[in-house]
């Protein structure tokens, strides 16, 4: 079985070139009088107040339906996404099963209004309830909600619950601090700050995580909550986490587990059994729903019985064999977002979880950790690649952070250059690292359970090839991509107030002078 | 031994063995040794039986969803934050493409097409609202208002926000969350401005509340009740005169007939994106936008990711990259502007295709059609005994039906029995005495549909 794949791998090296359609910006596609959509005549003319009427027609494209379709299909073809190999760490790229797309496109979900009478929403409510049960079984929590429009929004949900919980005990004014770690995703500190808390960020120590002493030095009567992930993006699991939770609880704070890095611990532990009060899963990544380039997403937020009264409304509840939307919840935080969540993504995630079953989830966790360590081992043999926490001799969880510092020092080619050049081989741009970069020239691959060993080998082969190229012909790497949809972007204008333009109007005025 | 799962290439034992051999381990379990033994769960996972075959899974899902009723087989007159609009077929085909559905983050070159589509979303929203700076979309209209007033508070250094006393409770609840409770030192105060019998912001009450402690005046046109503000320029002028931001909430599908916020002096515009080519999806179609002038005062307060056109190293070629990234939560964590993350970017692609297909004529036509159909429905309902619509109010798409005696719950139950989803029951909400419902009529409702509604209402009353 190996030989033909190796042959294919060689062809893969030479074969790729991105589509290059040189599509104009749609705003330029304007031929007076052309139509892409049409409506029946209004019949009667409704008079509007003069001050409310539009005077000048919007400067939009004028194109045929066919031209709109072709334009956007061309743009889709100039999007690499997961069409090649995407080992994009921290995002746990999974197959997005087409069955999910097919089912949610039907009229029984797509053409459903959230304010319909509950009698007409029993199907979707049953799915919400069933899926909440599944996530409760996985996490040990007692209730899940799907209102948050992404993982960060679930972190925000937690910050808001923290407010409501402490307010109900008359302690909110006193408890104004949320503790997190530097390796926790930026959304935890950012949403805690937005919700009005002061943020305390713990730094890493030699074991790869903050020490208990560091935590103890900041926990106290002002502590409202702890918000952390585990393992972190370097693949290090904090073995003290139960003690952390105990210490924060003892001080009166709540503990939130950001399960963005769930893949490696899936079916091995439960957040609630470790003592956490609440946790979050990203349905658009971890549970097989598409990421969509940035949503629609769902941060499924689950919590203990004690916190349930504070969850955003409405809650989908079972009443006998019926399902109801419970809005009468006086302690609730209210609403994080309108309605009750990105229902299509919930259905897709539910479908994914059912298709996997307990045995499939276990297998996925096993494979993702196995594949990551396999990658880690092979990458360790590639010249110029080093890894984070070099002093820690342990198998990593489902991802590892590596560094190209040596390559950059030797050749001048940065990790961004290497990443750009790798896209010439059909490899999706690398995930580097969240800010701040604790590791120089970082990159963070994650194979997950989706990608085959052949894909993983190909990815590593490409990286090795490009690093060799950096030593032999650095210009080739620095000027990459050469086979992309467009050439390298000149970044200088992006941060220049005189030149940046987030709309065509601004571009015309600032850069074209019209 | 179970069969390798169809979604996991490395589930084949031979492959696992190869990788384990490379690592020199005999069992996968060894790789998990970082997790202390007392962290490992002892309770087995009691999950539903695995449905790895698509045929079984499909049947299960379809059977469950068949328990829903939908707005295609029934007539739906519900709006209030999610609206039944027609979604052109090309929008579904375009949004369904696997390439951008599966795209993660990429780079300006590798995901060039998607970045361009994003820029075409912001550019076309900019054309509709006549503003030069538009961020990538946020979760919803309510979230756009929340971020908008927080931007205003940072820009002005003030902490009071004026909103109409009659506002969609759903959106208002989201805004309250974003403003925070009074115990928090940095919370924003929401001050309600009275809404008159004409459905418009009461100018006298506004005058008493608008002063130099106000960060922003937020108003909507059309309003929650569908009422078109007759003098939005006057409202914006009043806000600007005290140094407050004038934030207009607008429905983009109205902007072929209603004036652009940028043209009447709004300093920011926010609104929903679902009307632009996205299905209602049981509320999962919602999204929001934020727009403003392209001035640093505004640009440097955006919490969103922002996409800019830029040159490439090849003469005459353009690409698209993120601008002002560093001020986001990705760049500055808790010191960034609010926060950002995954939002509704795939819907932005559908929105872009929708706006391109519509063009200026499409937006004019659909605006006129919605005006005509909703007015026709309102007039016919007003003519029925036992209910009334204030036809003096200029309105777009949505209007309030007041019932003299009947309870909305009963009326809607009777309508439902005839396959009609009546308007949202707004009895007891601010600005409503007695029984009332908010009806929504759009381009999807034919004259015959309206006749059917009127006949069913007549029978129900």
């Amino acid at each position: 079985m190996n030989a033909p794949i190796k042959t294919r791998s060689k062809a893969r090296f030479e074969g790729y070139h991105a589509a290059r359609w040189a599509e104009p910006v749609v705003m330029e596609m304007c031929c007076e009088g052309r139509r892409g959509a049409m409506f029946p005549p209004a019949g009667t003319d409704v008079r509007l107040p003069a001050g409310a009427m539009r005077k000048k027609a919007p400067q939009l494209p004028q194109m045929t339906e066919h031209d709109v379709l072709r334009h956007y299909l061309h743009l889709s073809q100039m999007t690499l996404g997961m069409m090649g190999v995407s080992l994009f760490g921290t995002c746990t790229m999974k197959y997005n099963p087409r069955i999910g797309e097919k089912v949610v496109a039907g009229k029984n979900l797509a053409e459903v209004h959230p304010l319909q009478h509950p009698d007409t929403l029993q199907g979707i409510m049953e799915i919400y309830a069933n899926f909440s049960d599944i996530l409760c079984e996985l996490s040990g929590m007692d209730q899940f909600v799907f209102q948050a429009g992404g993982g960060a929004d679930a972190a925000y949900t937690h910050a808001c619950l923290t407010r409501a919980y402490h307010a109900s005990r008359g302690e909110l004014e006193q408890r104004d601090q949320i503790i997190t770690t530097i390796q926790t995703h930026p959304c935890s500190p950012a949403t805690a700050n937005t919700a009005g808390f002061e943020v305390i960020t713990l730094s890493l120590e030699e074991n790869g995580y903050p020490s208990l002493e560091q935590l103890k030095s900041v926990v106290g009567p002002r502590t409202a909550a702890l918000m952390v992930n585990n393992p972190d993006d370097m693949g290090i699991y904090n073995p003290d986490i139960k003690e952390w939770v105990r210490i924060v609880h003892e001080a009166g704070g709540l503990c939130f587990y950001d399960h963005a890095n769930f893949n490696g611990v899936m079916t091995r532990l439960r957040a609630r059994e470790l003592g956490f009060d609440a946790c979050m899963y990203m349905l658009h990544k971890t549970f097989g729903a598409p990421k969509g380039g940035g949503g629609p997403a769902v941060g499924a937020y689950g919590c203990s019985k004690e916190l349930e009264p504070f969850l955003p409304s409405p809650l989908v509840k079972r009443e006998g064999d019926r399902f109801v939307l419970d809005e009468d919840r006086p302690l609730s935080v209210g609403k994080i977002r309108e309605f009750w969540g990105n229902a299509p993504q919930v259905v897709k995630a539910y479908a994914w979880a059912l298709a996997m079953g307990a045995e499939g989830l276990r297998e996925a966790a096993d494979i993702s950790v196995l594949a990551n360590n396999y990658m880690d081992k092979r990458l360790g043999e590639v010249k110029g690649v080093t890894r984070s926490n070099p002093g820690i001799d342990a198998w990593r969880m489902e991802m590892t952070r590596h560094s190209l510092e040596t390559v950059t020092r030797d050749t001048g080619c940065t990790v961004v250059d290497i990443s750009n050049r790798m896209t010439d081989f059909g490899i999706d741009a690398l995930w580097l690292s969240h800010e701040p970069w604790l590791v120089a020239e970082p990159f963070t691959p994650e194979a997950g359970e989706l990608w085959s060993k052949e894909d993983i080998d190909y990815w590593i082969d490409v990286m090795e090839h490009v690093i060799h190229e950096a030593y032999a012909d650095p210009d080739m790497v620095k000027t990459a991509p050469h086979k992309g949809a467009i050439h390298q972007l000149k970044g200088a204008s992006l941060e220049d107030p005189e030149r940046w333009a987030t709309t065509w109007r601004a571009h015309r005025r600032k850069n074209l002078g019209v | 031994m179970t069969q390798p799962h169809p979604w996991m290439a490395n589930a084949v034992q031979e492959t696992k063995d190869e990788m384990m051999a490379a690592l020199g381990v005999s069992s996968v379990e060894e790789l998990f040794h970082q997790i202390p033994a007392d962290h490992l769960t002892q309770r087995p996972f009691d999950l539903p039986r695995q449905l790895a075959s698509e045929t079984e899974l499909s049947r299960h899902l379809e059977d469950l969803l068949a328990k829903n009723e939908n707005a295609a087989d029934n007539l739906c007159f519900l709006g209030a934050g999610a609206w039944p609009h027609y979604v052109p077929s090309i929008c579904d085909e375009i949004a369904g493409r696997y390439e951008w559905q599966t795209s993660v983050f990429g780079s300006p070159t590798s995901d060039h097409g998607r970045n361009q589509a994003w820029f075409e979303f912001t550019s076309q929203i900019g054309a509709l609202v006549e503003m030069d700076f538009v961020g990538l979309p946020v979760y919803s209209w309510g979230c756009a208002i929340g971020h908008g007033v927080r931007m205003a508070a940072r820009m002005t250094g003030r902490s009071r926000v004026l909103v109409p006393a009659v506002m969609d409770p759903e959106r208002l609840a989201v805004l309250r969350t974003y403003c925070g409770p009074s115990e928090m030192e940095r919370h924003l105060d929401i001050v309600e401005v009275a809404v008159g019998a004409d459905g418009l912001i009461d100018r006298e009450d506004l005058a008493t509340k608008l002063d130099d402690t106000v960060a922003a005046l937020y108003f909507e046109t059309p309003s929650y009740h569908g009422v078109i503000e007759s003098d939005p320029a006057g409202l914006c002028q009043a806000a600007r005169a005290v140094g407050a931001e004038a934030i207009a909430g607008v429905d983009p599908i109205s902007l072929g007939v209603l004036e652009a916020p940028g043209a009447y002096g709004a300093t920011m515009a926010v609104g929903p994106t679902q009307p632009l080519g996205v299905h209602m999806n049981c509320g999962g179609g919602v999204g929001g936008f934020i727009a403003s002038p392209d001035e640093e005062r505004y640009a440097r307060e955006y919490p969103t990711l922002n996409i800019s056109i830029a040159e490439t190293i090849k003469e005459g070629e353009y690409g698209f990259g993120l601008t002002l990234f560093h001020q986001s939560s990705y760049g500055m964590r808790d010191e960034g502007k609010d926060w950002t993350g995954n939002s509704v970017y795939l819907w932005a692609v559908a929105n872009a295709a929708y706006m391109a297909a519509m063009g200026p004529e499409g937006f004019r036509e659909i605006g006129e059609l919605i005006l005509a159909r909703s007015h026709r429905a309102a007039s016919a309902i007003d003519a029925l005994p036992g209910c009334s619509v204030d036809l003096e109010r200029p309105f777009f798409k949505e209007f309030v039906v007041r019932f003299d005696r009947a309870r909305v719950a009963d009326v809607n139950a009777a309508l439902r029995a005839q396959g009609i989803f009546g308007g949202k029951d707004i009895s007891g909400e601010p600005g409503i005495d007695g029984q009332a419902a908010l009806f929504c009529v759009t381009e999807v409702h034919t004259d015959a549909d309206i006749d059917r509604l009127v006949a069913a209402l007549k029978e129900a009353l």
Side-chain angles (χ1 to χ4, degrees):
Chain A
M1 166 174 181
N2 282 342
I5 287 164
K6 281 207 173 114
T7 313
R8 193 173 55 133
S9 186
K10 198 165 178 226
R12 264 172 116 166
F13 256 80
E14 290 151 11
Y16 176 74
H17 196 298
R20 193 177 276 180
W21 286 106
E23 273 307 290
V25 174
V26 77
M27 309 305 275
E28 299 172 281
M29 302 174 89
C30 196
C31 175
E32 190 77 32
R34 280 195 189 141
R35 308 290 305 268
M38 176 169 276
F39 296 90
T44 50
D45 205 14
V46 175
R47 296 179 71 128
L48 294 172
M53 275 173 60
R54 183 142 194 150
K55 317 285 183 301
K56 193 166 143 256
Q59 301 289 296
L60 290 168
Q62 300 189 44
M63 49 202 296
T64 64
E65 183 177 326
H66 178 231
D67 286 344
V68 175
L69 181 64
R70 272 194 312 156
H71 174 69
Y72 285 101
L73 294 186
H74 289 165
L75 294 188
S76 76
Q77 290 167 357
M78 291 190 285
T79 302
L80 183 53
M82 285 195 343
M83 302 310 292
V85 183
S86 180
L87 308 185
F88 200 90
T90 77
C91 275
T92 315
M93 297 315 293
K94 304 208 169 191
Y95 176 53
N96 307 142
R98 302 289 88 191
I99 177 65
E101 299 301 323
K102 182 179 149 194
V103 166
V104 304
K107 61 188 176 184
N108 282 325
L109 192 63
E111 307 300 340
V112 167
H113 193 289
L115 300 177
Q116 283 175 212
H117 191 279
D119 284 355
T120 68
L121 298 170
Q122 289 295 305
I124 184 67
M125 285 202 263
E126 186 169 345
I127 289 174
Y128 268 54
N130 288 351
F131 193 43
S132 174
D133 289 348
I134 289 174
L135 297 184
C136 286
E137 178 62 15
L138 287 173
S139 62
M141 298 296 164
D142 294 306
Q143 176 70 48
F144 270 80
V145 284
F146 307 106
Q147 193 175 68
D153 211 19
Y156 184 59
T157 302
H158 183 74
C160 293
L161 246 88
T162 301
R163 292 194 307 213
Y165 170 79
H166 292 305
S168 76
R169 302 156 67 92
E171 292 184 357
L172 182 54
E173 276 169 283
Q174 168 203 326
R175 295 188 180 275
D176 63 346
Q177 294 179 336
I178 284 183
I179 300 168
T180 186
T181 72
I182 194 69
Q183 271 287 80
T184 299
H185 190 279
C187 72
S188 278
T191 55
N193 173 60
T194 306
F197 292 99
E198 183 186 319
V199 175
I200 297 177
T201 303
L202 306 180
S203 54
L204 304 189
E205 296 177 48
E206 67 257 41
N207 289 333
Y209 44 88
S211 66
L212 279 169
E213 287 64 40
Q214 198 188 155
L215 175 70
K216 284 179 190 160
S217 72
V218 298
V219 168
R222 291 177 67 187
T223 301
L226 170 73
M227 297 174 78
V228 284
N229 60 0
N230 195 32
D232 72 3
D233 299 350
M234 298 184 186
I236 303 295
Y237 185 91
N238 178 352
D240 296 336
I241 203 70
K242 272 172 92 167
E243 183 62 5
W244 280 44
V245 170
R246 194 192 63 73
I247 290 166
V248 172
H249 278 165
E250 197 173 70
L254 297 173
C255 296
F256 167 70
Y257 193 157
D258 173 353
H259 253 316
N261 299 345
F262 184 55
N263 231 38
V265 297
M266 199 156 62
T267 74
R268 277 196 166 71
L269 53 80
R270 287 185 172 93
R272 185 77 185 128
E273 290 175 3
L274 299 179
F276 284 94
D277 305 288
C279 71
M280 180 282 289
Y281 297 120
M282 298 189 295
L283 303 189
H284 48 290
K285 298 172 186 171
T286 315
F287 284 81
K291 186 168 181 289
V298 178
Y301 180 86
C303 68
S304 65
K305 203 88 199 152
E306 192 188 6
L307 287 189
E308 187 186 309
F310 304 100
L311 284 172
S313 282
L315 279 190
V316 175
K317 292 298 233 179
R318 282 179 209 277
E319 267 184 13
D321 56 359
R322 306 280 300 162
F323 300 87
V324 295
L325 283 175
D326 184 6
E327 298 253 24
D328 182 20
R329 306 174 53 251
L331 290 176
S332 164
V333 296
K335 288 185 189 292
I336 301 299
R337 184 186 189 227
E338 291 96 309
F339 306 122
W340 27 303
N342 286 328
Q345 301 297 74
V346 175
V347 173
K348 290 176 219 173
Y350 171 65
W352 183 85
L354 284 180
M356 296 296 276
E359 60 271 54
L361 295 176
R362 180 72 164 201
E363 175 99 302
D366 286 358
I367 290 174
S368 66
V369 173
L370 175 60
N372 180 51
N373 282 292
Y374 172 76
M375 276 197 89
D376 194 13
K377 177 99 190 317
R378 271 210 61 193
L379 281 169
E381 293 157 6
V382 175
K383 180 184 176 184
V385 177
T386 55
R387 73 170 184 174
S388 71
N389 311 99
I392 297 173
D393 181 26
W395 300 115
R396 299 296 166 97
M397 297 298 292
E398 82 283 18
M399 69 185 117
T400 308
R401 177 149 305 149
H402 302 269
S403 171
L404 292 178
E405 191 178 10
T406 309
V407 177
T408 307
R409 194 189 56 221
D410 291 350
T411 70
C413 295
T414 65
V415 68
V416 173
D417 297 329
I418 302 280
S419 175
N420 279 338
R421 179 63 178 141
M422 286 176 73
T423 65
D424 279 339
F425 300 86
I427 301 287
D428 191 24
L430 309 183
W431 173 241
L432 308 181
S433 163
H434 289 295
E435 300 284 342
W437 283 9
L438 303 176
V439 172
E441 303 299 322
F443 66 100
T444 318
E446 179 181 353
E449 75 272 15
L450 168 64
W451 300 98
S452 67
K453 179 171 172 296
E454 303 92 281
D455 284 328
I456 295 168
D457 281 330
Y458 175 67
W459 193 99
I460 298 166
D461 291 346
V462 170
M463 174 164 267
E464 189 168 27
H465 172 82
V466 171
I467 289 172
H468 280 307
E469 212 171 52
Y471 282 93
D473 182 6
D475 270 353
M476 174 66 108
V477 177
K478 285 182 194 167
T479 54
H482 305 285
K483 297 163 116 185
I486 54 167
H487 298 78
Q488 199 178 101
L489 212 57
K490 284 201 277 189
S493 67
L494 293 173
E495 296 304 325
D496 178 358
E498 302 298 320
R499 291 159 74 202
W500 74 45
T502 65
T503 61
W504 185 250
R505 288 164 57 90
H507 174 62
R508 278 170 56 88
R509 179 173 54 79
K510 293 163 84 168
N511 298 320
L512 304 180
V514 287
Chain B
M1 203 19 248
T2 52
Q3 292 287 319
H5 196 281
W7 301 342
M8 291 188 270
N10 295 338
V12 174
Q13 190 59 42
E14 223 174 273
T15 312
K16 284 194 276 194
D17 290 344
E18 277 178 46
M19 290 195 285
M20 282 194 286
L23 297 177
V25 298
S26 55
S27 126
V28 173
E29 221 54 49
E30 293 175 46
L31 303 175
F32 288 86
H33 73 139
Q34 279 198 76
I35 307 176
D38 71 335
H39 290 206
L40 298 173
T41 188
Q42 299 306 314
R43 187 161 60 84
F45 287 86
D46 181 18
L47 293 179
R49 180 178 68 86
Q50 186 187 54
L51 293 178
S53 75
E54 186 169 321
T55 169
E56 275 189 297
L57 182 60
S58 167
R59 180 62 184 271
H60 173 73
L61 297 169
E62 297 284 8
D63 283 355
L64 281 177
L65 286 176
K67 297 180 187 179
N68 288 345
E69 292 203 39
N70 62 67
D73 297 337
N74 295 270
L75 282 181
C76 175
F77 294 97
L78 286 162
W83 301 271
H85 285 293
Y86 187 72
V87 176
S89 311
I90 56 169
C91 291
D92 287 332
E93 175 155 353
I94 289 165
R97 291 294 291 196
Y98 195 68
E99 294 93 329
W100 39 45
Q101 257 188 14
T102 63
S103 74
V104 198
F105 207 78
S107 72
T109 49
S110 65
D111 282 346
H112 166 67
R114 185 205 56 200
N115 285 11
Q116 179 166 337
W118 288 351
F119 180 76
E120 295 179 351
F121 162 79
T122 54
S123 288
Q124 293 181 86
I125 291 286
L128 282 173
V129 301
E130 291 193 9
M131 288 188 181
D132 279 6
F133 198 104
V134 180
L136 286 170
V138 296
Y139 306 122
S140 69
W141 186 356
C143 297
I145 304 167
H147 286 302
V149 301
R150 293 176 61 84
M151 287 170 68
R154 292 194 294 269
M155 288 187 281
T156 60
R158 304 171 182 178
S159 61
R160 293 174 74 224
V161 177
L162 269 47
V163 304
V166 177
M167 194 172 151
D168 186 331
E170 194 89 23
R171 274 199 291 288
L172 182 60
V174 175
L175 177 61
R176 286 196 190 289
T177 301
Y178 275 66
C179 289
S182 57
E183 291 98 324
M184 303 306 278
E185 203 182 316
R186 291 182 279 143
H187 77 277
L188 304 182
D189 283 315
I190 297 175
V191 179
E192 292 183 357
V193 183
V195 169
D198 55 2
L200 302 178
I201 285 185
D202 183 315
R203 293 332 202 240
E204 281 178 28
D205 193 48
L206 178 65
T208 65
K209 289 169 177 163
L210 195 56
D211 58 29
D212 63 8
T213 67
V214 172
L217 166 65
Y218 174 71
F219 68 94
E220 294 176 352
T221 180
S223 72
Y224 169 46
H225 287 172
V227 183
I228 297 168
E229 171 58 54
S230 55
D231 181 25
L235 284 180
C236 295
Q237 165 71 32
R240 291 198 319 270
V242 297
E245 297 301 323
I247 308 179
V250 294
D251 180 348
I253 213 163
S254 73
L255 292 178
V257 292
L258 296 188
E259 187 56 292
Y264 54 68
T267 61
M268 295 175 72
V270 297
T273 58
Q274 181 262 324
L276 307 175
V278 179
H279 299 273
M280 295 186 290
N281 289 319
C282 195
V286 301
F289 69 84
I290 305 173
S292 72
D294 181 10
E295 294 166 14
E296 285 187 73
R297 168 184 165 82
Y298 297 94
R300 296 207 184 275
E301 293 299 339
Y302 271 77
T304 53
L305 293 185
N306 305 297
I307 190 92
S308 172
I309 193 167
E311 294 172 333
T312 73
I313 56 176
K314 188 187 172 201
E315 180 77 30
E317 188 182 66
Y318 283 95
F320 307 88
L322 294 177
T323 175
L324 294 160
F325 180 78
H326 189 64
Q327 73 193 32
S328 75
S329 54
Y330 285 118
M332 294 180 73
R333 297 175 66 88
D334 46 304
E335 287 167 19
K337 307 297 178 185
D338 294 350
W339 84 91
T340 190
N342 285 301
S343 177
V344 294
Y345 290 13
L346 186 63
W347 295 151
V349 176
N351 298 149
Y354 183 87
M355 290 186 277
M358 292 288 279
E361 273 302 286
F363 274 100
R364 186 184 57 75
E365 278 182 5
I366 203 168
E368 287 173 354
L369 183 59
I370 291 170
L371 278 169
R373 293 266 167 88
S374 56
H375 279 76
R376 182 173 178 278
S379 302
I381 292 169
D382 183 55
L384 293 174
C387 63
S388 63
V389 179
D390 183 351
L391 297 172
E392 295 298 306
R393 297 174 166 190
F395 66 86
F396 181 86
K397 189 160 88 173
E398 290 175 280
F399 54 90
V400 175
V401 178
R402 292 167 199 270
F403 295 88
D404 299 341
R405 288 173 302 277
R407 287 176 63 242
V408 174
D410 299 333
V411 173
N412 277 349
L415 291 178
R416 205 161 61 250
Q418 301 212 31
I420 298 172
F421 302 155
K424 180 191 176 192
D425 189 347
I426 57 171
S427 314
E429 287 186 4
I432 298 295
D433 297 321
Q435 291 287 308
L438 183 65
F439 275 74
C440 169
V441 176
T442 75
E443 76 281 7
V444 303
H445 300 106
T446 65
D447 284 342
D449 293 341
I450 293 167
D451 293 342
R452 222 183 107 199
L453 167 68
V454 173
L457 262 178
K458 190 174 178 184
E459 200 176 307
L461 292 168

